Amino acid sequence: MPTDNFGVAGLGVMGRNVALNIERNGFPVVAYNRGDENAAKMRAESRDKNVTVTQSIPDFVSLLTPPRRVLLMVTAGRGTDLVIDALLAHLEAGDVLIDGGNSHFSDTERRAERLQARGLHFVGCGISGGEEGALWGPSIMPGGNRDAYLRIAPVLEKIAAKTDDGSPCVTYCGLGAAGHYVKMVHNGIEYGIMQLICEVYDILRRGQGWSSEEIQQLFRDWTGSGQVGGYLVDITAQCLAKRDDSSGTALVEKILDTAGQKGTGKWTAQTALDLGIPIPTLSQAVNARILSGLKDARVEASAKLTGPSGGAEADRGHLRRVLHDALHLGMVACYAQGLHLIQAASAEFGFGTDLAEVARIWKEGCIIRSKLLDPIRQVYSEHPRLENMLLSPAFTTATNRNLSALREVVGLANDCGVPTTCLGATLAYVDSYRSEFLPANLLQALRDNFGAHTYRRLDMEGVFHTQWNR
Ligand code: 6PG
């Protein structure tokens, strides 16, 4: 029996690499790209392989074995709708269309409804791991109709990264747009952890005058850490080690300090506000990128607004330890906030997402893979409904152990005039979360004063309003 083939539409580097991954795992691939350049690259890269490349949508669809399975690997947004429009003229009821791009979850909901009305299945599917991951094993986050998922699961399980015990980094994330929601939050966490790492670097570089080599050594030492070790710390050590060909100095020091973004971090912050879930570490990472983009204004302000620049040299051994523990707590907060958000979205949108499974499939292949995901998975296996993992015994202990280090690091950075947009947000988050009382009593009084918004009392039942100026 020949194996049913699999379609890949969109042959940018991610699409080509996923196609090659699918073929390597034993599934014949039909690959489509309208433009010449990517189609030619696919032909060149798949010579002698079981990949048929076409630039015609009707040919693409007719070459696929019904019921067809088509993976879209196109840039999220309008382009995705255009390719869907073109495919819809040829696909038939029962076919499964998978969107492997970073689509907004509301677009995925809309597209799923549209295809369902035509008898087709739509699977919104997050794929993480960059170019290498796409080729050798990404983490895959599919959602939507479960039967449709089961039809594509044998392929996804083969091409996904594998954890230590050999299980594939793919799971059914839940109904509707669950897959793209989980991937969006993955990216929000990615933003948070990267910004935390950058702040540690900034404290050492600008605040303490360490060289890039010394900072690189620190991150290299941390790659084996059970608390902060993971892909992003690994590639930080790699980036800091890279030399500029022309000057021979660290390449990072030559890079313009304005960060780009494609939207998934911002969407994470937006949906968290909509759902009323606090994710300050993740949201502040988006603000940090926005502030980085104000380069001209910052150059002007740097000549007008004064403050400390650098501070007294701290004991290096001690500083290494507190920075490690502060980064650990920051990373824990990123996962805690992100998973809290997914938990809330799952309840709100009826996804039915299993957080232990999410932690499992993030363990390998994706950008936020880290050693922390083992204890996180353990926590949600034991307490699937847990709102915030900071309340689990394992993370309560870790948080209590590291909070003073984070406080010290934020204090030191403040003294040096180095911004701690995410480290500081994490400290305030944990301090708020552990506060039985917050100053919202005064806030309520103010709201009631100017707007008669009313308030409740600690000492009696009911809703109250006061004439505050009498
Ligand atoms: C991944 C990445 C990838 C990319 C995002 C974020 O999981 O492989 O998350 O999807 O990094 O698009 O990119 P920006 O930083 O440009 O928003």
Side-chain angles (χ1 to χ4, degrees), residues 262-311:
K262 295 196 199 72
T264 44
K266 181 181 78 176
W267 299 342
T268 307
Q270 288 171 328
T271 174
L273 286 176
D274 288 341
L275 293 177
I277 304 299
I279 58 158
T281 311
L282 311 191
S283 304
Q284 284 295 69
V286 182
N287 278 324
R289 289 200 192 189
I290 295 170
L291 264 159
S292 82
L294 307 179
K295 178 71 179 178
D296 292 345
R298 288 190 289 113
V299 170
E300 187 185 344
S302 70
K304 293 181 178 166
L305 303 175
T306 55
S309 57

Side-chain angles (χ1 to χ4, degrees), residues 14 102 127-130 141 183 186-187 190-191 194 260-265 289 366-367:
M14 289 292 287
N102 276 328
I127 299 181
S128 175
M141 296 152 247
K183 175 57 169 51
H186 163 285
N187 284 20
E190 174 186 301
Y191 275 49
M194 286 198 289
Q261 51 176 319
K262 295 196 199 72
T264 44
R289 289 200 192 189
C366 69
I367 306 298

Side-chain angles (χ1 to χ4, degrees), residues 1-24:
M1 270 272 287
T3 310
D4 285 350
N5 56 16
F6 206 92
V8 178
L11 302 176
V13 63
M14 289 292 287
R16 295 201 303 279
N17 282 358
V18 173
L20 293 171
N21 186 348
I22 295 172
E23 195 275 345
R24 196 182 62 246

Side-chain angles (χ1 to χ4, degrees), residues 91-230:
L91 292 174
E92 297 169 311
D95 291 347
V96 180
L97 197 54
I98 309 142
D99 175 11
N102 276 328
S103 291
H104 192 280
F105 66 94
S106 61
D107 285 336
T108 303
E109 295 278 6
R110 171 176 59 76
R111 291 168 183 148
E113 277 174 27
R114 181 176 176 215
L115 267 70
Q116 198 179 7
R118 306 271 297 262
L120 282 95
H121 302 298
F122 190 70
V123 174
C125 184
I127 299 181
S128 175
E131 296 172 16
E132 282 289 300
L135 182 59
W136 297 110
S139 168
I140 309 178
M141 296 152 247
N145 178 290
R146 189 185 267 278
D147 291 337
Y149 168 70
L150 293 176
R151 291 250 323 278
I152 58 172
V155 179
L156 300 189
E157 286 173 7
K158 281 273 193 185
I159 68 167
K162 307 291 182 296
T163 58
D164 289 346
D165 64 4
S167 75
C169 291
V170 55
T171 195
Y172 174 66
C173 290
L175 291 166
H180 276 145
Y181 201 96
V182 168
K183 175 57 169 51
M184 174 192 69
V185 176
H186 163 285
N187 284 20
I189 295 171
E190 174 186 301
Y191 275 49
I193 296 176
M194 286 198 289
Q195 178 60 25
L196 289 165
I197 288 173
C198 291
E199 289 172 17
V200 168
Y201 162 78
D202 203 16
I203 290 167
L204 290 171
R205 192 182 70 136
R206 281 200 298 155
Q208 292 285 297
W210 287 31
S211 68
S212 291
E213 290 75 21
E214 289 167 326
I215 305 172
Q216 190 264 340
Q217 182 60 50
L218 178 68
F219 277 98
R220 208 169 61 200
D221 292 346
W222 287 352
T223 57
S225 159
Q227 277 97 47
V228 301

Side-chain angles (χ1 to χ4, degrees), residues 78 147 152 165 214 246 256 286 403 418 444:
R78 180 97 187 98
D147 291 337
I152 58 172
D165 64 4
E214 289 167 326
S246 51
L256 179 69
V286 182
L403 192 57
V418 172
Q444 285 296 79

